[in-house]
Amino acid sequence: MSNVKFNEQETSNITRVERVGAHSHIRGLGVDDALSARQTSQGMVGQLKARKAAAVILQMIKEGKIAGRAILIGGPPGSGKTALAMAMAQALGPETPFTTIAGSEIFSLEMSKTEALMQAFRRSIGVKITEESEVIEGEVVEIQIDRPLDSGSAHIGKTGKITLKTTDMETVYDLGAKMIEALQREKVQSKDVICIDKASGKITKLGRAVSSVGEYDAMGPNTKFVEVPQGELQKRKEVTHTVTLHEIDVINSRSQGFIALFSGDAGEIKTEVREQIDQKVAEWREEGKAEIVPGVLFIDEVHMLDIECFSFLNRAIESDMAPILIMATNRGISTIRGTTYKSPHGIPLDLLDRTLIISTTQYSAEEMKQIIQIRCEEEDVQLTEKALDLLTKIAKETSLRYALQLITTSSLAAQKRKAKEVDMIDIKRVYQLFVDLKRSTQFLQEYQSQFLYHKQDSMDTNEE
C-alpha cells in the first residue's frame, strides 16, 4: 500500500486578517526570572516599579497563595494602567480565566447591578474537570482509501484502512466515511503522531514523529516533533476540560441550556441554582474529579461604580471561591458615586483598605518614542527618523494617545502621495486635520458664542 495524501485538489491561500487593537502589541509583563522588569520587553515600556509589583502579584496567583484579594492600579490618563492588566492576562495564559469589564457596563445591562457583578465574578472562576477516556494513540504508518469504482455504488461512501504503530506494536484499523473526513480535516499523513478518542471519534494531531526529522517535506515553521508512543495503541488517558462557574450556571438555569452560552442572553440566575452548583463542585473537589482555578476579574474605570456595587465587592472578595480583583482608575480625590462623600480615587475607604495599590506615572519622552516605534511595527507603518521625532514631540506636548492615533492616519496620507515611508509632511497634514484636546478647548473658548447653551445660566437668571 502506498502512502496517500489528501490534498488532491488545489486550495486557495487563505489570508488571516487580524484587527490591530490598542493593546494588541502586548505579549507579557516583560520581566526576568528574578521578577525584575526590563526597560523594553514583550511590548511593555517603562513603568518598572509597577511592572515588578504586578509580576509579584502574578507569581502569587500562579502559586495559589493569593485569593480573595483586590489590586488597584491608579495613575493619570495614558500611563499604561489597562496595558498593565492586559500584560498580566497574557502572562497568565489561556488556562486562567481573565474577565474584563468597564465600570459603566454594570448600569447598562438588563439586570440588577449586583447580579451583573456576580456573573462577572463567576466568569472569572474556572473549574478544571479531569476524566478518563479510552484513546488510540500512535504513529501513522500508511493510509489507504478505497473509492467506489462506479456510480451505482457511490452511495456507499468512501472506506479505507489506517495503519498505526507504537514502539511495541502495529495494527490496521478500518475507516468509515466520517473518520476519513476527520483525517482530511486534520491533514493527517504518514509519520504523523495522532490521538483518536474512541467515544467521540475526535482526531487530534500531536505532531510529527522524531524519525521524520531531516525529510524535506517534514519541516515547516510550525512543525512540532514528538516521540513515538510506547506500549499498546489503546490506552486510558486523563483528559482535562476547563469551564467557568458562569458557564455551568447558564447551562443549568435556562430551558435552552447550552444554547444560552452562544446567545449571550443569560438573564438573572437564581441563588438556589448557584448554591446547588457550588455544592456539586465541592463534591467533585473532594472526589478529586475537579480543581478550582481562581482567575482574574479586571474592572476598568472602577470609579464609575456606586456605593451599592462597592459594598457588594467588599463582601464578594471575602468568599471562599473569589477571583483576584484588579481595578483601574485615573481619578484623584473625587466623590463616591451615590453619596456626597469624597475619597481617594472615588472608592470607599473600607474597600481601599483591602487593596494593594500599584501606582503608574507619566512616560518620559524617550519611553514615548519607544512606544511609538512598537506601535508602528504593530500597525506595519514605516516612519522616517524626523517623523518619529516630530511624533514624539507631539506626544509630549499633547498626549501619547493622540500621537498614537496619528500613526495610521499619517500612513494613509503617505500612501496618497505614493510614499513608502511616513515623513514630517504627512504628520503635519494630519495634525492640521485632527485637533487635540488643547486646541479643541481653545477653539471652544474663542467661538463659544456660536454654540448652544453657553449662556444658559445667564438666560435663566434674566427670565427670573
Side-chain angles (χ1 to χ4, degrees):
M1 290 185 291
S2 59
N3 297 337
V4 178
K5 295 184 180 180
F6 292 113
N7 51 346
E8 296 173 350
Q9 299 178 349
E10 292 185 359
T11 57
S12 58
N13 291 329
I14 299 174
T15 304
R16 185 178 178 186
V17 179
E18 293 185 357
R19 296 194 65 183
V20 178
H23 302 101
S24 57
H25 62 284
I26 294 173
R27 307 287 184 264
L29 278 171
V31 296
D32 56 22
D33 295 336
L35 303 183
S36 296
R38 305 183 187 95
Q39 177 61 30
T40 304
S41 180
Q42 295 184 313
M44 296 293 289
V45 177
Q47 305 292 356
L48 301 182
K49 290 184 179 179
R51 283 160 56 198
K52 184 169 184 176
V56 172
I57 296 294
L58 205 65
Q59 190 66 24
M60 295 171 71
I61 294 172
K62 289 179 179 179
E63 294 178 0
K65 294 181 179 179
I66 180 171
R69 303 289 181 87
I71 294 98
L72 175 65
I73 305 174
S79 58
K81 298 181 294 296
T82 307
L84 198 62
M86 295 299 105
M88 294 179 73
Q90 292 285 344
L92 283 170
E95 292 297 322
T96 304
F98 192 97
T99 308
T100 302
I101 61 171
S104 55
E105 284 183 37
I106 304 300
F107 303 96
S108 60
L109 299 175
E110 294 180 356
M111 60 182 74
S112 65
K113 295 175 286 188
T114 54
E115 173 65 20
L117 284 172
M118 175 58 80
Q119 290 190 12
F121 261 74
R122 292 180 74 84
R123 208 177 286 122
S124 308
I125 303 170
V127 182
K128 191 181 288 185
I129 302 171
T130 304
E131 58 183 3
E132 282 191 350
S133 62
E134 289 191 2
V135 297
I136 300 173
E137 193 173 274
E139 179 191 343
V140 178
V141 179
E142 51 190 5
I143 304 169
Q144 183 184 26
I145 297 177
D146 302 323
R147 292 177 175 80
L149 299 176
D150 55 351
S151 59
S153 57
H155 66 280
I156 301 175
K158 292 183 289 187
T159 58
K161 294 181 179 180
I162 183 172
T163 306
L164 297 176
K165 73 170 185 178
T166 64
T167 54
D168 300 332
M169 62 183 296
E170 182 174 316
T171 307
V172 180
Y173 294 94
D174 293 328
L175 295 175
K178 289 186 178 179
M179 290 297 291
I180 292 173
E181 288 178 8
L183 288 168
Q184 290 175 339
R185 200 181 308 118
E186 293 292 328
K187 298 180 180 178
V188 175
Q189 55 185 342
S190 176
K191 295 194 176 179
D192 281 341
V193 178
I194 64 172
C195 177
I196 305 173
D197 191 329
K198 289 187 68 176
S200 62
K202 181 183 177 182
I203 298 176
T204 306
K205 187 159 72 169
L206 305 177
R208 296 283 291 176
V210 177
S211 59
S212 65
V213 174
E215 294 188 5
Y216 71 95
D217 61 343
M219 301 300 292
N222 299 318
T223 303
K224 180 183 178 183
F225 292 99
V226 295
E227 295 286 345
V228 178
Q230 298 178 354
E232 296 185 0
L233 279 162
Q234 297 189 37
K235 60 187 74 173
R236 297 189 66 85
K237 191 175 182 180
E238 284 192 350
V239 182
T240 303
H241 310 280
T242 302
V243 294
T244 64
L245 281 179
H246 177 67
E247 290 171 346
I248 302 175
D249 293 344
V250 172
I251 292 171
N252 289 276
S253 66
R254 300 296 294 263
S255 57
Q256 64 266 36
F258 192 70
I259 301 174
L261 286 174
F262 300 97
S263 65
D265 182 22
E268 296 209 9
I269 298 170
K270 295 180 180 179
T271 308
E272 294 80 9
V273 174
R274 289 197 174 110
E275 289 176 353
Q276 292 176 4
I277 290 170
D278 290 345
Q279 185 177 357
K280 191 65 179 176
V281 170
E283 291 177 6
W284 290 344
R285 291 175 66 185
E286 290 179 1
E287 295 171 3
K289 294 180 180 178
E291 178 186 348
I292 297 297
V293 183
V296 176
L297 171 59
F298 174 56
I299 305 179
D300 205 359
E301 307 293 337
V302 71
H303 53 266
M304 294 299 295
L305 300 181
D306 61 10
I307 189 65
E308 296 176 11
C309 297
F310 288 128
S311 299
F312 173 83
L313 292 178
N314 266 329
R315 181 183 64 85
I317 61 176
E318 293 180 349
S319 65
D320 295 336
M321 293 193 297
I324 310 302
L325 177 63
I326 300 178
M327 304 174 287
T329 179
N330 56 16
R331 298 296 170 92
I333 307 295
S334 56
T335 304
I336 303 171
R337 191 169 178 178
T339 70
T340 58
Y341 298 102
K342 289 191 174 184
S343 177
H345 308 294
I347 300 173
L349 294 177
D350 54 346
L351 181 57
L352 280 176
D353 197 35
R354 289 179 168 90
T355 61
L356 296 170
I357 302 176
I358 299 174
S359 297
T360 58
T361 56
Q362 289 286 10
Y363 291 107
S364 64
E366 185 61 32
E367 289 172 346
M368 287 182 178
K369 186 175 183 179
Q370 292 175 351
I371 293 171
I372 292 171
Q373 287 177 320
I374 292 172
R375 289 302 304 175
C376 286
E377 291 177 5
E378 183 72 15
E379 298 178 27
D380 198 17
V381 176
Q382 294 183 356
L383 289 178
T384 63
E385 192 63 34
K386 290 183 178 180
L388 179 61
D389 293 338
L390 178 58
L391 210 54
T392 305
K393 183 180 179 182
I394 292 173
K396 188 67 177 176
E397 294 179 355
T398 58
S399 70
L400 178 60
R401 287 173 177 167
Y402 174 72
L404 294 178
Q405 290 170 356
L406 294 183
I407 293 174
T408 304
T409 52
S410 59
S411 174
L412 294 174
Q415 290 177 16
K416 185 71 175 176
R417 62 183 186 87
K418 298 181 180 179
K420 294 183 179 180
E421 289 184 328
V422 174
D423 209 342
M424 291 178 64
I425 187 173
D426 303 309
I427 294 177
K428 288 179 180 178
R429 184 179 180 185
V430 295
Y431 181 77
Q432 292 172 353
L433 289 174
F434 305 102
V435 297
D436 59 276
L437 178 61
K438 291 180 180 178
R439 285 184 290 162
S440 179
T441 305
Q442 184 180 358
F443 177 80
L444 288 176
Q445 291 173 349
E446 291 179 2
Y447 299 98
Q448 61 176 337
S449 60
Q450 300 178 17
F451 287 86
L452 293 176
Y453 305 119
H454 73 285
K455 292 184 178 179
Q456 186 66 44
D457 294 337
S458 60
M459 290 173 66
D460 293 341
T461 305
N462 293 335
E463 288 177 2
E464 292 176 0

